[in-house]
Amino acid sequence: MKLTIGHLYPDLLNLYGDRGNIACLMKRCIWRGIEAETIEFNTGDQIDFSKLDIVLLGGGSDREQAIVCKSLLEIQSEFKDYVEDGGVVIAVCGGYQLLGKYYKTDAGMIEGLNLVDIYTEQEEGRLIDNIVLDSELVDMPIVGFENHGGRTYLNGNKPFGKVLYGAGNDGKSGYEGVVYKNVIGTYLHGPLLPKNPQVSDYLIRKALERKYGGEVILTPLDDSQEKEANDYIYHRFVKE
Ligand SMILES: NC(=O)CC[C@H](N)C(=O)O
């Protein structure tokens, strides 16, 4: 079996080491004998979504988001078809915000991909902290850090998780991120996937099931170090 990962606009959406999510997905496939390849797409590159199994959009400052949104709008309809066909996407922070209808900033409106019916508006002050979630997608708490000025509103879509510590989508709703079909949008940097191996495996499983059919049971890996770190953070910030 083989998975191809598309890393979109690493030249612009590259905040806080989000490319570490790619390295984690690659390794957790290769360690299981699943062939894995990553293709980077920069502004102006043609993207054939039919060749991709997982797509990553990383974080970015408002300035980079305004630049990259022009390229994203050029691929909007193919990207939409990929998502509606169950294509797997992991979008972090700025990348997450660009999945929605728009991101309204103090400097102006950034048009989004409109792949998920959400929207983001900048409000006073930044939401910066460690963050811990409880998500029904996995049984371990999900840990990371957030740093965003935008507040994202879900319009009734399913959240990625319930906030146990931190701000989340808007610092008020008590929820973080979004799940739509096989798309996860989240504010969690860390990077997210190395810190949360079960989320990484969730994405790999969904991509393999879409590509090869049937139910995929992944060979377990030794995640004891991640679990130990995860437990520490959970007890440090949630169960003090
Ligand atoms: N960390 C990020 O990707 C930031 C996203 C966006 N520029 C915001 O400030 O909300």
Side-chain angles (χ1 to χ4, degrees), residues 15-16 59-62 65 93-94 97 103 126 147-150 189:
L15 273 191
Y16 311 130
S61 70
D62 294 3
Q65 286 174 283
C93 204
Q97 296 170 336
Y103 169 29
R126 292 188 69 79
N147 179 342
H148 52 107
H189 298 286

Side-chain angles (χ1 to χ4, degrees), residues 90-93 96-97 99 116 118 131 133 135 137 146 148 152-163 167-170 173-180 183-188:
I90 174 71
V92 180
C93 204
Y96 165 32
Q97 296 170 336
L99 295 179
V116 188
I118 59 175
I131 182 164
L133 307 179
S135 171
L137 300 188
E146 59 185 322
H148 52 107
T152 298
Y153 300 94
L154 299 190
N155 279 340
N157 279 289
K158 193 171 133 194
F160 180 34
K162 188 173 177 320
V163 176
N169 280 329
D170 59 2
S173 67
Y175 291 100
E176 195 287 328
V178 73
V179 176
Y180 172 72
V183 175
I184 293 179
T186 178
Y187 275 113
L188 272 72

